[in-house]
């Protein structure tokens, strides 16, 4: 029988040898190509960044930042490598002879033998690795280094140590970095030296006898002595750190500065621990001569015990038995220091707090009604609601779009400033008819024109009264460059100026083309540039596309906030960039802040939280771009502009006293222009920034009081109310409004908000800041404090009152009929003759009508409420009197303007005019049904209205596209008829 036992397997044997020469060559080639590809990708990122900064004339920012990072990388990387490498070399040099080896050391012999041929390479590899890590970490501290080396004094001293604030803001962070680096270097060196000593017999773990040789003992003792010496330095710096230490305090979160226990327990404890650490370090150094760990170990144990007893237990006892029994008296002096420092650090020290009765004593209702017009220019166009209306009436083409939240500005008309809602017709790539690489990046490259409307008026249909409209835009803004290559919605790159023509805009005659001739962008005619951008953007077509040629430029980093942040990476950017037509150009205006979290005694705040409200929750593009999220000092130190056509970025010094800005201007010279270079036309559009205002109002909920005892009691703590117009639960946003405070003689463009008591809904205060730049009162904060003995309705209570009144609730229910939606606009608060006037526009968005129209206005004053079709009607009802008729204008022989009762013809297209007539008839029928509370009739009228408006828009769109009849020189746009009709509306403001 065959042998079936174990044995070698039958069959041919396969021999595994070295790869063939061809395979090795292929692998080597692939490896080299991979390395070259990685190197070129890294080079592409560096090169494209350099080209971009050069294109915006901020190459000095790039080079200063780059060389600072490189310098820190090499200096601290080399220091770490030398420290660790030297200690490994020294431990190896101090190794004992290996003749009398223990069993433990014999077991390690194979490891020593294994690394023996590679000792130098291993040493170089370890030192290079720790050096690279340390250098990369240090390069991230470029801001700390630049602030330390360029720091300028604040001219103010802290109340405890009498040091200039610059020590805490600029010096202390750098010293702490150096200390942290020293700790890291010593700890890594101790570990590396100990392992080397153990490997070569200097340390023994299991062998009997001495655990360490004298050389190893001396070496490690010195390293531990250096560590303890660094700990002594840390204790000394901790003394100053108490002035900027964050802690929770019953009066406020994020308290900064010394309290009673800090000044009387922690401060002396840190001093004592510093002395103990110095003595302990000397004992470790003494081990070099004594050759024993005994004293140093006893000293180290004493230091640890002292840290527990003196640094932990003693302050706890002081807090328990001295502070808590009489906390208010003990803490009051330190609270006063915190109050003064916090108010100064956030620019709220000049806040004017006035008592305000909250109720009017005037019996003359006619006078009160007349006073409304002088008290405020009440804005009934809510920029956060009517963007869809702008979109529907002024979009013109699907590849245009308006931002979700429009902006409020002011423009002069007939010598008078008027609050204006403005938005730009930006590029919307989602609306491109056919998407491909050429269309997305070469043909559809820019938006076109600004659209503006009066903030205080609507037409009879509830549409905006446009002061700048159509395509190209025409109106009160005059002649200006309308092309928008840089905007809030422009987030992708475009390649312009080359052989491929761009779509400029479309009118009745068809598409107009354009080729970019601006200064913005990076030249792509260079093949190296093309290759670099092809790699950086992962788009190989950039390298070989025939659409790129002589004169081609690539535009990217196109949002205003993104550009300002890039050229000034040391600034915190306000969340709301807004456009303005200035000197014949569309300029984006961006507010920027300098911040620090090292202002002694000033409480910290979290920018991301304090600047959040119901608008940022719905639109994250409005969120602040913060370099430091936790800060305790902030200044609106820079006003920046971004040209919507060229992308040109300009930084203007706004706060000429800010030491933080002066420090950065020393670090980056010639990047910030002098304040005197701001033109008068630009100055007319600068305003007080929203995010700074929101930070200040959050601090003023507690820091409006100046008395320490009141602050500690918490009886005067306020809160920012939730937005009553929606159910988001987020804070109400501040509102821009031209209004007059009781101590002002005339209206001023202002930013306003309200406060309620902590945990309650009634009104506790009203706050405004003069937001009009260039005026003497710019930035002045005024607070009207209401009495605590009586209650005045707050925003939420007023909104509830609106919703609970039977007649108003029934009207709202009727407005919601027929699949319509009701949207509440901004609830504006206006001080008036000792009382508070609330005004809220109400918009209706029909089922098929895709944009909101102003249908009603809610008004409340002194407990009286009105819900009428226009603001004038609502005010007349609330006050029981009509406003005095304005004097008629003098007859100058000029066109007196549009008729305020009957809109002018808007189109020569008969179909459009017929549809608009039907729409007017349906609207009148709906209003009549609403007055009679006829729900069915109102719903039918709404449907007829929507159908009529849709017919008008379809007919006009068809005419504009050349598919329908054209009527002579009529150039009405698809939505020109309703928008033009809006220009003839009645003034409800």
């Amino acid at each position: 029988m065959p042998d079936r036992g174990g044995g070698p397997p039958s069959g041919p044997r396969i021999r595994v040898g070295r790869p063939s020469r061809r395979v090795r060559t292929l692998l080597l080639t692939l490896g080299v190509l991979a390395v070259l590809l990685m190197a070129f990708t890294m080079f592409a990122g560096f090169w494209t960044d350099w080209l971009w900064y050069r294109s915006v004339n901020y190459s000095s920012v790039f080079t200063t930042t780059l060389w600072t990072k490189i310098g820190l990388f090499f200096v601290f990387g080399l220091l770490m490598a030398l420290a660790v490498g030297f200690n490994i070399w020294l431990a190896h040099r101090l190794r004992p002879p290996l003749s009398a080896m223990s069993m433990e050391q014999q077991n390690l012999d194979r490891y020593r033998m294994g690394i023996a041929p590679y000792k130098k390479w291993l040493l170089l590899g370890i030192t290079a690795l720790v050096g690279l890590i340390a250098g990369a970490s240090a390069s991230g501290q470029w801001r700390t280094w630049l602030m330390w080396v360029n720091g300028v004094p604040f001219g103010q001293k802290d109340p405890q140590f009498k040091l200039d604030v610059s020590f805490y803001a600029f010096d202390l962070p750098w010293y702490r970095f150096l200390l942290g680096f020293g700790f890291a270097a010593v700890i890594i060196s101790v570990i590396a030296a100990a392992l080397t000593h153990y490997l070569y017999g200097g340390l023994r773990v299991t062998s009997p006898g001495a655990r360490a040789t004298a050389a190893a003992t001396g070496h490690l003792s010195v390293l531990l002595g250096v560590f303890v010496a660094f700990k002594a330095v840390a204790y000394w710096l901790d003394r100053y750190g108490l002035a900027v230490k964050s802690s929770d305090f019953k009066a406020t979160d994020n308290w900064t500065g010394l309290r009673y226990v800090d000044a009387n327990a922690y401060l002396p404890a840190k001093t004592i621990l510093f002395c103990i650490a110095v003595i302990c370090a000397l004992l470790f150094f003494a081990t070099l001569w004594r050759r024993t760990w005994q004293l140093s170990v006893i000293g180290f144990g004493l230091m640890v015990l002292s840290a527990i007893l003196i640094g932990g237990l003693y302050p706890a006892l002081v807090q328990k038995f001295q502070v808590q029994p009489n906390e208010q008296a003990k803490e009051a002096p330190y609270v006063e220091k915190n109050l003064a420092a916090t108010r100064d650090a956030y620019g709220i020290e000049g806040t004017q707090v006035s008592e305000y009765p909250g109720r009017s004593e005037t019996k003359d209702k006619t006078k009160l009604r007349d006073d409304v017009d002088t008290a405020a220019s009440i804005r009934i166009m809510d920029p956060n609601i009517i963007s869809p209306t702008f979109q529907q009436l002024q979009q013109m083409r699907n590849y245009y779009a308006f931002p979700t939240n429009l902006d409020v500005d002011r423009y002069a008309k007939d010598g008078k400033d008027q609050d204006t809602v403005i938005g730009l017709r930006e590029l919307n790539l989602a609306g491109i008819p056919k998407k491909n690489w050429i269309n997305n990046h070469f043909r559809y490259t820019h938006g076109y024109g600004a659209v503006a409307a009066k903030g205080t008026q609507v037409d009879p249909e509830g549409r905006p009264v446009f002061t700048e409209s159509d395509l190209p835009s025409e109106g009160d803004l005059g002649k200006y460059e309308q092309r928008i290559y840089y905007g809030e919605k422009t987030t992708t790159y475009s390649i312009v100026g080359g052989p491929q023509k761009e779509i400029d805009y479309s009118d009745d005659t068809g598409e107009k083309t354009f080729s970019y001739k601006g200064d913005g962008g990076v030249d792509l005619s260079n093949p190296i540039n093309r290759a670099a951008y092809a790699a950086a953007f992962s788009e190989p077509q950039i390298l070989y596309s025939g659409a790129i040629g002589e004169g081609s430029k690539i535009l990217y980093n196109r949002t205003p906030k993104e550009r300002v942040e890039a050229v000034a990476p040391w600034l915190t950017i306000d969340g709301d960039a807004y456009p303005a037509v200035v000197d014949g150009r569309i300029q984006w205006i961006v507010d920027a802040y300098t911040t620090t979290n090292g202002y002694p005694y000033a409480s910290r705040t979290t920018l991301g939280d304090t600047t959040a409200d119901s608008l940022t929750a719905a639109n994250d593009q409005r969120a602040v771009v913060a370099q430091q999220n936790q800060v305790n000092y902030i200044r609106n130190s820079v006003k920046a502009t971004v040209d919507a056509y060229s992308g040109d970025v300009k930084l203007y010094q706004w706060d000429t006293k800010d030491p933080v800005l002066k420090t950065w201007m020393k670090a980056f010279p010639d990047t910030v222009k002098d304040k005197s270079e701001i033109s008068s036309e630009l100055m007319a559009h600068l305003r007080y920034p929203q995010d700074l205002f929101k930070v200040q109002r959050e601090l003023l909920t507690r820091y409006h009081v100046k008395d320490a005892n009141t602050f500690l009691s918490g009886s005067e703590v306020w809160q920012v109310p939730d937005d009553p117009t929606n159910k988001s639960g987020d804070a109400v946003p501040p509102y821009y409004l031209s209004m007059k405070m009781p101590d002002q003689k005339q209206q001023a463009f202002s930013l306003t908000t309200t406060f309620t008591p902590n945990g309650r809904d009634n009104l506790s205060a009203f706050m405004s800041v003069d937001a009009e730049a260039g005026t003497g009162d710019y930035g002045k904060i005024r607070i009207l404090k209401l009495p605590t003995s009586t209650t005045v309705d707050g925003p939420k209570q007023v909104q509830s009152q609106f919703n609970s009144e039977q007649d108003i609730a029934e009207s709202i229910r009727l407005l919601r009929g027929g699949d319509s939606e009701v949207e509440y606009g901004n609830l504006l608060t206006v001080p008036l003759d000792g009382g508070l006037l609330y005004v809220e526009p109400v918009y209706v968005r029909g089922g098929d009508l895709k944009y909101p129209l102003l249908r009603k206005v809610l008004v409340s004053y002194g407990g009286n409420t009105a819900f009428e079709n226009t603001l004038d009607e609502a005010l007349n009802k609330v006050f029981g009197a009509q406003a005095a008729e304005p004097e008629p204008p003098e007859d100058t022989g000029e066109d007196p303007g549009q008729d305020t009762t009957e809109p002018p013809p808007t189109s020569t297209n008969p179909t459009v005019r017929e549809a608009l007539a039907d729409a007017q008839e349906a609207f009148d029928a709906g209003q009549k049904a609403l007055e009679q509370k006829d729900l069915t009739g109102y719903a039918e009228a709404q449907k007829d209205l929507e159908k009529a408006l849709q017919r008008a828009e379809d007919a006009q769109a068809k005419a504009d596209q050349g598919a329908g009849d054209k009527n002579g020189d009529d150039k009405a746009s698809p939505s020109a008829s309703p928008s033009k009709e809006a220009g003839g509306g009645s003034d409800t403001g």
Side-chain angles (χ1 to χ4, degrees):
M1 295 180 61
D3 184 10
R4 298 183 181 276
S10 60
R13 296 184 180 181
I14 301 176
R15 298 182 62 184
V16 181
R18 295 176 60 191
S20 66
R21 183 175 181 180
R22 179 179 298 177
V23 173
R24 294 199 305 272
T25 303
L26 178 61
L27 293 175
L28 180 62
T29 303
L30 291 176
V32 171
L33 289 176
V35 171
L36 290 176
L37 181 61
M38 292 175 60
F40 183 77
T41 302
M42 295 174 62
F43 165 78
F46 163 80
W47 185 244
T48 53
D49 284 348
W50 160 248
L51 291 174
W52 186 86
Y53 276 96
R54 191 175 65 173
S55 73
V56 293
N57 299 317
Y58 283 89
S59 55
S60 63
V61 174
F62 178 81
T63 54
T64 299
T65 305
L66 177 65
W67 286 117
T68 302
K69 290 179 178 179
I70 290 175
L72 292 172
F73 177 85
F74 279 105
V75 169
F76 286 95
L78 186 61
L79 286 174
M80 180 65 78
L82 288 175
V84 175
F86 172 76
N87 281 285
I88 293 176
W89 172 83
L90 184 60
H92 179 266
R93 185 177 179 84
L94 297 176
R95 67 190 184 279
L98 301 177
S99 55
M101 294 177 58
S102 65
M103 185 63 66
E104 181 181 3
Q105 289 300 311
Q106 291 179 14
N107 292 333
L108 294 172
D109 186 56
R110 55 177 176 174
Y111 297 107
R112 285 192 295 270
M113 296 293 292
I115 65 174
Y118 311 104
K119 283 191 294 187
K120 290 183 179 179
W121 291 108
L122 186 61
L123 177 62
L124 289 175
I126 293 174
T127 55
L129 179 62
V130 296
L132 287 173
I133 296 173
S137 176
S139 66
Q141 298 293 323
W142 64 271
R143 290 184 178 88
T144 308
W145 160 260
L146 288 176
M147 293 184 78
W148 177 69
V149 78
N150 295 287
V152 300
F154 275 67
Q156 292 176 286
K157 295 183 178 181
D158 77 284
Q160 180 68 38
F161 301 102
K162 309 303 179 184
L163 296 174
D164 191 90
V165 173
S166 61
F167 171 80
Y168 302 94
F170 305 142
D171 299 344
L172 190 58
W174 178 249
Y175 297 154
R176 281 176 164 167
F177 163 71
L178 291 179
L179 186 62
F181 178 84
F183 274 126
V186 172
I187 291 172
I188 296 174
S189 296
V190 167
I191 295 173
L195 289 175
T196 305
H197 280 300
Y198 176 70
L199 184 65
Y200 287 96
L203 291 178
R204 300 177 180 86
V205 178
T206 60
S207 301
R211 299 295 184 185
T213 63
T217 300
H219 183 196
L220 294 177
S221 294
V222 170
L223 288 177
L224 291 173
V226 173
F227 176 86
V228 176
F230 280 148
K231 187 63 179 174
V233 176
Y235 282 134
W236 189 256
L237 289 181
D238 285 346
R239 298 170 69 254
Y240 303 109
L242 292 172
V244 290
K245 175 181 66 71
S246 287
S247 61
D248 290 336
F249 189 34
K250 62 180 291 186
T252 177
D253 296 332
N254 294 317
W255 169 280
T256 303
L258 284 80
R259 293 156 52 192
Y260 181 89
V261 69
D262 297 314
N264 295 278
Y266 280 111
L267 186 57
K270 296 293 183 183
T271 305
I272 295 172
L273 289 172
F274 163 76
C275 297
I276 294 175
V278 170
I279 296 172
C280 185
L282 294 176
L283 291 176
F284 272 107
F285 293 142
T287 306
L288 282 172
W289 294 277
R290 293 182 57 84
R291 303 297 183 181
T292 175
W293 296 85
Q294 187 175 4
L295 286 179
S296 55
V297 170
I298 292 174
F300 187 78
L302 176 63
M303 187 181 73
V304 173
L305 182 62
S306 300
I308 296 172
L309 296 178
I310 302 175
L313 182 60
Y314 174 62
L317 293 174
V318 171
Q319 178 70 24
K320 177 72 173 177
F321 295 104
Q322 291 189 34
V323 177
Q324 288 185 4
N326 193 16
E327 185 173 25
Q328 194 148 320
K330 295 288 187 182
E331 300 288 13
Y334 303 95
V335 170
E336 289 177 356
K337 296 175 184 178
N338 177 268
L339 285 169
T342 301
R343 291 169 66 86
D344 182 72
Y346 290 95
I348 57 177
E349 72 283 355
T351 300
Q352 175 184 307
V353 180
S354 305
E355 300 294 332
Y356 192 70
R359 300 183 187 280
S360 173
E361 299 297 332
T362 301
K363 304 300 183 182
D364 188 348
K365 301 299 184 183
T366 302
K367 182 181 182 302
L368 281 176
R369 175 64 183 88
D370 292 339
D371 287 346
V372 173
D373 295 331
T374 59
S377 297
I378 299 175
R379 178 173 43 76
I380 54 176
M381 285 282 96
D382 186 346
N384 307 306
I385 294 289
I386 63 172
S387 179
T389 307
F390 271 50
Q391 187 84 357
Q392 187 71 18
L393 302 181
Q394 288 295 320
Q395 178 187 19
M396 306 304 183
R397 295 292 183 267
N398 287 335
Y399 48 83
Y400 293 135
F402 291 93
T404 305
N405 304 104
L406 303 177
D407 289 289
V408 177
D409 202 347
R410 61 256 187 245
Y411 286 87
K413 176 69 172 177
D414 298 330
K416 282 187 168 185
D417 284 348
Q418 62 182 17
D419 289 0
T420 301
V421 179
I422 187 171
L424 300 187
R425 194 183 286 112
E426 296 188 45
L427 178 66
N428 175 32
L429 288 177
I432 293 177
K434 184 178 180 181
K435 293 184 180 180
N436 53 54
W437 190 64
I438 294 295
N439 279 346
N440 290 356
H441 300 288
F442 290 82
R443 287 182 57 76
Y444 295 92
T445 59
H446 59 277
Y448 208 99
V451 175
K454 294 182 179 181
T456 57
Q457 296 181 16
V458 293
D459 76 350
E461 301 297 325
R463 299 186 184 91
V465 177
F466 290 107
T467 58
E468 184 80 9
S469 59
D470 296 338
L471 185 66
S473 294
E474 296 178 350
D476 294 347
L477 302 185
K479 298 293 184 182
Y480 60 95
E481 174 57 67
Q482 298 198 17
R483 297 175 182 90
I484 303 163
Y485 283 89
Y486 297 87
E488 291 181 302
K489 300 180 75 67
T490 315
T491 56
T492 188
Y493 70 90
S494 290
I495 299 176
V496 298
Q500 178 66 58
K501 293 293 184 181
E502 310 163 45
I503 294 178
D504 204 22
Y505 66 91
S506 301
D507 61 11
D508 292 343
T509 63
E511 289 183 350
K512 307 293 184 182
T513 58
F514 180 73
S515 186
Y516 182 74
K517 302 299 181 186
D519 297 331
V522 178
D523 182 31
L524 285 182
S525 57
N526 186 324
I528 296 179
N529 292 358
R530 293 177 66 171
Y533 278 102
F537 288 176
S538 301
E539 184 48 74
Q541 294 186 78
I542 295 178
L543 185 61
Y544 56 78
S545 174
I548 302 175
E550 190 66 28
S552 290
K553 292 182 174 183
I554 185 168
L555 312 179
Y556 62 104
N557 289 349
R558 298 169 73 181
T559 66
K561 292 195 294 184
E562 188 177 28
R563 293 180 77 78
V564 174
E565 183 190 15
V567 303
W570 33 273
L571 288 175
T572 291
I573 312 301
D574 190 270
D576 184 24
Y578 61 98
V581 177
V582 179
D583 298 320
R585 313 278 288 196
I586 297 176
Q587 299 283 355
W588 289 98
I589 300 175
V590 183
D591 285 287
Y593 312 106
T594 46
T595 62
T596 180
N597 64 357
Y599 197 100
Y601 273 96
S603 290
R604 289 191 172 94
T605 187
T606 304
L607 290 180
D609 295 337
T610 55
T611 60
D613 57 28
S614 60
L615 296 184
T616 60
N619 182 7
D620 58 4
Q621 288 185 344
R622 294 178 69 97
V624 65
V625 182
Q627 297 299 336
Q628 287 180 305
N629 201 26
Q630 276 268 331
V631 303
N632 67 351
Y633 172 94
I634 185 170
R635 288 291 186 273
N636 177 211
S637 54
V638 171
K639 300 284 189 181
T641 62
V642 178
D643 193 294
Y645 177 72
S646 67
D648 183 39
V649 182
K650 292 181 180 178
L651 308 176
Y652 296 98
Q653 182 183 14
W654 185 248
D655 190 330
T656 57
K657 298 179 180 179
D658 177 31
V660 181
L661 177 60
K662 290 178 180 178
T663 296
W664 286 118
M665 290 175 68
K666 280 183 63 179
F668 296 97
D670 302 323
T671 56
V672 181
K673 297 179 180 294
D674 192 77
K675 186 176 182 179
S676 61
E677 296 187 39
I678 299 176
S679 68
S680 58
E681 190 166 351
L682 174 59
M683 184 70 76
H685 295 282
L686 300 181
R687 67 189 192 188
Y688 201 82
Q690 290 192 42
D691 283 339
L692 176 61
F693 184 78
K694 286 188 279 188
V695 169
Q696 290 174 328
R697 74 172 179 178
E698 181 63 31
L699 268 296
L700 283 168
T701 59
R702 302 183 302 275
Y703 287 91
H704 62 278
V705 301
K706 298 182 179 180
D707 178 66
N709 290 326
T710 305
F711 185 84
L712 283 168
S713 70
S715 61
E716 292 289 333
V717 174
W718 300 336
Q719 65 182 13
V720 179
D722 295 339
D723 191 344
T725 64
N726 58 59
K727 298 180 181 179
S728 65
D730 298 298
V732 63
Y735 296 124
Y736 286 106
L737 184 68
S738 290
M739 55 161 290
K740 182 176 68 173
M741 291 290 278
D743 65 326
Q744 293 179 296
K745 295 182 179 179
Q746 59 184 10
Q747 293 181 17
F749 190 65
S750 305
L751 194 53
T752 67
T753 192
T754 54
F755 295 111
T756 59
N758 193 24
R760 297 171 59 193
D761 294 327
N762 57 288
L763 196 67
S764 58
F766 175 83
M767 172 181 170
S768 78
V769 64
D770 196 317
E772 191 159 356
T775 61
D777 279 350
Y778 172 81
K780 183 174 182 178
I781 300 174
R782 296 175 173 89
I783 292 179
L784 302 180
K785 182 181 176 184
L786 278 72
T788 56
S789 57
T790 59
T791 58
V792 178
D793 288 343
K796 187 175 181 179
Q797 291 173 321
V798 171
Q799 187 70 48
S800 298
Q801 184 180 357
F802 285 155
N803 297 336
S804 61
E805 286 201 15
Q806 184 175 354
D807 291 343
I808 296 178
E810 180 66 18
S811 298
I812 294 292
R813 190 172 67 85
L814 290 171
L815 289 173
R816 286 192 173 124
D819 296 328
S820 297
E821 296 179 9
V822 172
E823 297 182 36
Y824 294 102
N826 39 217
L827 180 58
L828 302 176
T829 308
V830 178
L832 177 65
D833 193 56
L836 291 158
L837 175 70
Y838 288 96
V839 178
E840 182 179 65
V842 178
Y843 298 84
V844 176
R845 191 195 299 247
D848 295 326
L849 194 62
K850 299 178 181 178
Y851 58 94
L853 299 175
L854 182 68
R855 291 303 190 204
K856 292 286 185 178
V857 179
L858 286 161
V859 173
S860 176
Y861 184 80
N864 297 323
T865 305
F867 184 62
E868 301 298 327
N869 296 334
T870 68
L871 178 59
D872 281 337
E873 293 175 3
L875 291 171
N876 292 342
K877 182 175 180 180
V878 162
F879 293 104
Q882 294 189 355
E885 291 292 334
E887 295 183 6
E890 296 182 5
D891 186 3
T892 60
E894 298 178 354
D895 182 4
Q898 296 172 329
D899 184 7
T900 60
T901 57
E902 192 68 31
T906 59
S907 175
T908 56
N909 188 310
T911 306
V912 174
R913 298 190 63 183
E914 180 182 356
L916 289 175
D918 293 343
Q920 182 64 51
E921 183 179 347
F923 175 76
D924 293 340
Q927 295 301 305
K928 186 176 180 180
L930 193 61
E931 293 174 359
Q932 298 175 355
K933 299 183 180 180
D934 181 4
L935 179 61
T936 303
Y938 177 78
E940 292 177 355
Q942 284 292 101
K943 292 180 180 179
D944 293 341
L945 173 61
E946 293 163 11
K947 291 178 181 178
L949 289 175
Q950 191 63 50
R951 288 206 320 272
E953 291 170 8
D954 292 345
Q956 194 63 58
K958 191 174 182 180
D960 283 343
Q961 294 170 1
D965 294 334
K966 292 183 179 176
N967 199 357
D969 295 330
D970 181 17
K971 294 184 179 181
S973 61
S975 52
S977 43
S979 68
K980 290 293 185 182
E981 183 171 274
S986 61
D987 185 351
T988 64

